[in-house]
Amino acid sequence: MGEQVAILGAGVMGETLLSGLLRAGWTAADVVITERRPERAAELAAKYGVRVMENDAAVAEADTVVLVVKPQDIAGLLEEIAGSIRPSALIVCIAAGITTQFVEDRLPPDVAVVRVMPNTPALVDEGMAAISPGKHCDSEHLARARALLEATGKVVQVPEYHQDAITAISGSGPAYIFYVVEAMIEAGVLLGLPRSTSTELVVQTVYGAAAMLKETGEHPTVLREQVSSPAGTTMAALRQLDDHKVRAAFLTAMEAARDRSRELSSGSA
Ligand SMILES: NC(=O)c1ccc[n+]([C@@H]2O[C@H](COP(=O)([O-])OP(=O)(O)OC[C@H]3O[C@@H](n4cnc5c(N)ncnc54)[C@H](OP(=O)(O)O)[C@@H]3O)[C@@H](O)[C@H]2O)c1
């Protein structure tokens, strides 16, 4: 058996991580899950062949413990497992707004904690996760956390004080893109296209634009200029976006998301 991973809380994100690990080469024998709802646990055990255990038993044998419950359930879960954690275990916490210190304060001294902000494209192995080390993490812990998260996409390491900004950019980011996609589909319908055609055009255009950014490595300004001929159609549209202060709205929107993340982390809302 390889490194033993316990996933505590097998909801949407827990299942995403579990299926990613199995696709990336972890075996079902390496992973155990815990879950509050027995019917959900049974469903995942049948689907993936992994073991289901109680929280304390699962952490007692785990090298890496991943906390994937809602932020409001973290304190209760830590109380349940604090007595069973192996001193050498790594705790990976995926709950939005929960600081490494919050977790460290509720565990035995010196347990290593890594905080993660994932995003939902992890569901299709195109996630963007930002990891931050707690006080007792060394490079080996960080490498383990990175390998775990790389099963569902890309990983960057940032100091923890950037986590609110990360939440605003990549955590909430897919929603902004879906919002733009919705608006462009509506525009296609306004221009007389059948809704299904408009949807197909917009989805492939977003996918293609993202692939160009990633594969060419060009700055977005360069790519935009390539589609903006003098006095042409693209310039006519971009001028309207500028007139409506869309760029400024994006800046203000993400500042608001960052501020909201700060409020939620400090428990003031
Ligand atoms: N950045 C992002 O895009 C993003 C996306 C998703 C999630 N997240 C983070 O990931 C975490 C999980 O989110 P989710 O959407 O996967 O939530 P979810 O679907 O509600 O999954 C959490 C699961 O854990 C179970 N649970 C709660 N307390 C437990 C305990 N003490 N022991 C065992 N199982 C327990 C819950 O059971 P019940 O149903 O009975 O409560 C639920 O099935 C959250 O903290 C969230 O902040 C981030």
Side-chain angles (χ1 to χ4, degrees):
M1 278 199 303
E3 173 199 3
Q4 289 293 292
V5 179
I7 297 176
L8 310 191
V12 178
M13 261 298 165
E15 180 176 2
T16 299
L17 182 65
L18 168 63
S19 63
L21 288 177
L22 296 178
R23 278 194 301 278
W26 270 259
T27 69
D30 297 331
V31 187
V32 304
I33 59 166
T34 76
E35 175 52 43
R36 196 150 62 181
R37 285 170 297 139
E39 69 286 359
R40 171 74 178 160
E43 178 197 331
L44 295 184
K47 190 166 167 190
Y48 298 103
V50 292
R51 288 169 300 150
V52 179
M53 296 174 85
E54 294 300 321
N55 286 323
D56 49 358
V59 304
E61 64 174 54
D63 301 300
T64 303
V65 176
V66 196
L67 312 178
V68 209
V69 301
K70 294 280 188 210
Q72 63 271 23
D73 290 324
I74 286 284
L77 179 59
L78 290 171
E79 206 178 309
E80 243 181 279
I81 62 174
S84 317
I85 283 184
R86 296 163 67 173
S88 60
L90 165 67
I91 311 298
V92 177
C93 181
I94 301 197
I98 300 291
T99 62
T100 54
Q101 186 178 352
F102 183 95
V103 178
E104 285 161 358
D105 285 351
R106 287 162 179 76
L107 293 179
D110 301 336
V111 171
V113 179
V114 169
R115 173 174 170 186
V116 181
M117 173 48 62
N119 72 5
T120 54
L123 275 165
V124 291
D125 290 347
E126 291 290 352
M128 180 69 254
I131 60 174
S132 301
K135 270 206 294 281
H136 311 299
C137 266
D138 59 24
S139 56
E140 187 266 335
H141 294 123
L142 277 164
R144 259 156 71 190
R146 180 179 277 277
L148 200 78
L149 274 308
E150 279 177 346
T152 55
K154 232 178 140 166
V155 178
V156 293
Q157 186 186 325
V158 296
E160 190 165 4
Y161 60 79
H162 279 326
Q163 283 284 356
D164 294 312
I166 299 279
T167 304
I169 302 297
S170 55
S172 302
Y176 317 144
I177 303 300
F178 299 141
Y179 179 92
V180 168
V181 166
E182 278 179 82
M184 286 179 66
I185 291 171
E186 282 306 299
V189 175
L190 176 74
L191 302 185
L193 298 173
R195 185 169 291 278
S196 59
T197 306
S198 185
T199 303
E200 192 176 351
L201 294 175
V202 175
V203 171
Q204 178 57 26
T205 301
V206 169
Y207 191 84
M212 273 180 87
L213 281 166
K214 202 166 169 173
E215 283 169 30
T216 66
E218 287 283 10
H219 192 278
T221 304
V222 172
L223 297 176
R224 183 173 55 71
E225 283 175 354
Q226 287 169 1
V227 218
S228 308
S229 43
T233 57
T234 308
M235 284 311 298
L238 291 172
R239 181 205 174 153
Q240 288 295 326
L241 293 176
D242 282 346
D243 279 355
H244 288 85
K245 299 189 167 43
V246 173
R247 183 184 293 255
F250 268 97
L251 299 183
T252 314
M254 280 166 231
E255 262 181 338
R258 188 268 324 266
D259 294 347
R260 184 68 186 135
S261 174
R262 272 188 192 151
E263 276 172 19
L264 291 172
S265 317
S266 66
S268 62

